[in-house]
């Protein structure tokens, strides 16, 4: 499932160019050319949006209205792109709920990096706050110690649960076998490092994650493992 970025930008050429670049990177992109249009589209598509990329134009005053709508519907990361270099204006942007900003012109690689960081931090905060971790149709609840896949309860051992939880907490990042050993088995563990591979295999079987072309738990060859959306 692709992450969806909601891109609000009045300048058509920039809107079209960035949309193409983001789609090339695997994102789904919704666009709006002004904040009034953006509010209507956001309310319609809110549940499907993972990040808002917002053109901040100091000659208009309705960015604040859009931000208020976003915040009322739930916490979604917002990155502002602006031509304002004035520190007071930047402070206004950040004080009103924007998570990060970029000053035009900027490099595409920097924007992509900011997007990845914003999404990663947001996913961690949501997971820790709710005690529930989700990816695709796999859910882990730290309070009830339950795991569900497509609504079906899955029984895991304590070690399997801790391994899955560790991967969830680093969602989208790659953890080496040594890192997983230290976190899940403890730094004093004296066994073989391939115990990680054994448990990943057992975990995949239990959560029905054995389809090599569509796995949630990815093997990063020569590095380790990561849990991430397809």
């Amino acid at each position: 499932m692709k992450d969806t970025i909601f891109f609000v930008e009045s300048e058509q050429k920039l809107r079209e160019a960035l949309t193409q670049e983001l789609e090339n990177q695997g994102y789904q992109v919704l666009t709006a050319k002004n904040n009034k249009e953006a509010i209507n589209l956001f309310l319609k598509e809110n549940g499907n949006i993972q990040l808002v990329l917002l053109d901040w134009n100091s000659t208009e005053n309705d960015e604040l209205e859009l931000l208020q709508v976003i915040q009322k519907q739930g916490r979604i990361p917002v990155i502002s792109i602006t031509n304002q270099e004035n520190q007071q204006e930047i402070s206004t942007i950040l004080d009103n709920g924007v998570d990060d900003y970029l000053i035009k012109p900027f490099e595409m690689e920097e924007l992509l990096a900011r997007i990845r960081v914003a999404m990663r931090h947001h996913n961690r905060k949501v997971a820790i706050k709710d005690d529930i971790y989700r990816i695709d149709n796999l859910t882990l609840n730290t309070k009830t110690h339950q795991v569900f896949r497509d609504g079906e309860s899955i029984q895991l051992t304590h070690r399997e649960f801790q391994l899955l939880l560790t991967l969830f907490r680093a969602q989208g990042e790659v953890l080496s076998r040594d890192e997983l050993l230290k976190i899940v088995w403890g730094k004093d563990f004296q066994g073989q490092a391939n115990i990680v591979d054994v448990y990943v295999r057992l975990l995949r079987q239990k959560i029905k994650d054995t389809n090599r072309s569509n796995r949630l738990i990815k093997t990063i060859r020569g590095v380790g493992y990561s849990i991430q959306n397809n």
Side-chain angles (χ1 to χ4, degrees), residues 154-157 160 201-208:
I154 298 170
Q155 300 302 314
L156 300 181
T157 66
E160 291 165 347
R201 185 165 61 250
L202 291 171
L203 184 57
R204 279 174 172 158
Q205 291 172 354
K206 288 193 175 183
I207 66 173
K208 299 178 181 179

Side-chain angles (χ1 to χ4, degrees), residues 49-63:
I49 294 170
Q50 281 70 55
L51 180 139
V52 176
L53 188 59
L54 172 62
D55 174 34
W56 189 281
N57 183 349
S58 63
T59 63
E60 298 180 9
N61 296 313
D62 49 358
E63 289 94 348

Side-chain angles (χ1 to χ4, degrees), residues 159-174:
R159 193 80 73 184
E160 291 165 347
F161 185 89
Q162 291 302 316
L163 176 58
L164 182 58
L165 177 58
T166 299
L167 291 169
F168 260 124
R169 284 176 170 165
Q171 187 174 146
E173 298 181 5
V174 181

Side-chain angles (χ1 to χ4, degrees), residues 16-77:
E16 292 176 350
L18 283 189
T19 296
Q20 185 63 56
E21 289 284 355
L22 291 168
E23 288 177 343
N24 289 343
Q25 293 297 319
Y27 295 107
Q28 182 172 325
V29 184
L30 297 173
T31 64
K33 61 180 178 293
N34 58 55
N35 291 298
K36 182 177 181 180
E37 180 183 313
I39 289 171
N40 293 331
L41 185 56
F42 180 83
L43 289 173
K44 180 182 177 182
E45 299 286 346
N46 171 41
N48 301 318
I49 294 170
Q50 281 70 55
L51 180 139
V52 176
L53 188 59
L54 172 62
D55 174 34
W56 189 281
N57 183 349
S58 63
T59 63
E60 298 180 9
N61 296 313
D62 49 358
E63 289 94 348
L64 297 180
E65 184 181 355
L66 173 58
L67 285 172
Q68 289 171 358
V69 170
I70 293 170
Q71 290 164 358
K72 284 181 181 178
Q73 297 300 314
R75 193 70 181 93
I76 296 174

Side-chain angles (χ1 to χ4, degrees), residues 17 30 37 42 55 103 114 120 152 182:
L30 297 173
E37 180 183 313
F42 180 83
D55 174 34
I103 297 174
R114 300 287 185 97
R120 185 162 64 242
E152 180 182 344
K182 289 177 183 177

Side-chain angles (χ1 to χ4, degrees), residues 120-150:
R120 185 162 64 242
H121 287 180
H122 172 69
N123 289 338
R124 285 178 175 174
K125 288 177 183 177
V126 170
I128 292 171
K129 178 180 178 181
D130 295 342
D131 299 302
I132 296 175
Y133 294 77
R134 293 188 183 91
I135 184 169
D136 195 39
N137 58 359
L138 179 65
T139 304
L140 180 149
N141 189 315
T142 59
K143 282 190 173 180
T144 63
H145 213 271
Q146 290 177 303
V147 174
F148 292 90
R149 183 78 191 260
D150 202 20

